[in-house]
Amino acid sequence: MLLTKPLPNIDIEGKKVEVKSWSKAKAILSEAEEENKSFWCTFVDNSFKHPSWWPLDKAVPTYNQVIVSSKATDIGIHTDVYKPKKAEVHTYLSCHHGLKHVILLPPKETELFPEGGKTPFPLRPSKDLVQQIITAGGYYFDLGPSHDGPLTLYVPKSWRHWLLNDAEWSVMIGASRF
């Protein structure tokens, strides 16, 4: 049986774009870049090396991801879930290029930023909002590569997270496990 990589997921200016082939994906992204539109794209890549501390057992199928994004793009606050099993998963994300603003909230905290809500990412949060995030047991910080290489975020199962790109473009890799 011939296995092929799933087609990439692409979002242009906040709208999901259907992709029917890899060449069409390349054309869509090239056009978005030429038109100075914001985008993010995720695709499966099983060839990258995971951090030495990442357990390789219980890997989530197709969750070895490369994430490329431009301008101020994000996918909203969410919990990582393997949809076929409706199972929440552990995830790591390594930032190789660019800068991400990160909000990380514990599982029981759902009041500050309801999922599916239309709240914009607080790019420059007030001291009061940062204190609310900390009081709830969460974190607000920036993630980007250091001069020693990529920095990595570990997101425990059931933790909600929200990453906003704050660079012309960024590249992250990551994986999930049950």
Side-chain angles (χ1 to χ4, degrees):
M1 176 199 289
L2 177 64
L3 295 176
T4 59
K5 287 183 184 180
L7 292 171
N9 292 316
I10 297 177
D11 181 290
I12 307 289
E13 299 276 306
K15 294 182 178 78
K16 184 171 174 54
V17 176
E18 284 298 317
V19 177
K20 301 206 186 288
S21 69
W22 281 90
S23 59
K24 183 68 173 167
K26 181 179 176 183
I28 289 168
L29 292 170
S30 293
E31 181 179 317
E33 187 174 32
E34 286 172 15
E35 295 176 2
N36 203 27
K37 292 182 177 179
S38 63
F39 64 85
W40 62 258
C41 172
T42 64
F43 58 91
V44 175
D45 182 350
N46 291 315
S47 68
F48 61 79
K49 185 177 178 184
H50 299 289
S52 59
W53 51 265
W54 184 249
L56 297 177
D57 65 323
K58 300 181 182 177
V60 177
T62 72
Y63 275 47
N64 286 343
Q65 297 279 323
V66 175
I67 305 161
V68 179
S69 53
S70 74
K71 304 182 188 357
T73 51
D74 70 283
I75 61 168
I77 192 144
H78 65 283
T79 303
D80 288 341
V81 175
Y82 180 58
K83 291 181 181 165
K85 292 186 176 182
K86 296 182 178 141
E88 293 179 344
V89 296
H90 304 275
T91 298
Y92 82 81
L93 296 163
S94 293
C95 189
H96 288 259
H97 184 85
L99 176 70
K100 298 282 187 172
H101 301 295
V102 179
I103 296 173
L104 186 62
L105 295 169
K108 305 252 186 266
E109 170 34 58
T110 58
E111 307 246 338
L112 280 175
F113 304 102
E115 283 191 43
K118 300 296 180 199
T119 306
F121 189 99
L123 185 57
R124 307 285 183 251
S126 66
K127 288 181 182 179
D128 181 54
L129 179 56
V130 171
Q131 188 57 53
Q132 288 177 44
I133 291 169
I134 292 168
T135 300
Y139 303 89
Y140 181 93
F141 57 93
D142 290 339
L143 179 68
S146 73
H147 64 280
D148 293 325
L151 292 180
T152 300
L153 168 65
Y154 171 71
V155 182
K157 183 187 302 190
S158 303
W159 278 63
R160 296 176 340 116
H161 53 286
W162 196 356
L163 284 74
L164 174 72
N165 189 49
D166 192 12
E168 189 60 29
W169 61 279
S170 68
V171 177
M172 299 185 76
I173 65 167
S176 297
R177 67 183 300 271
F178 294 104

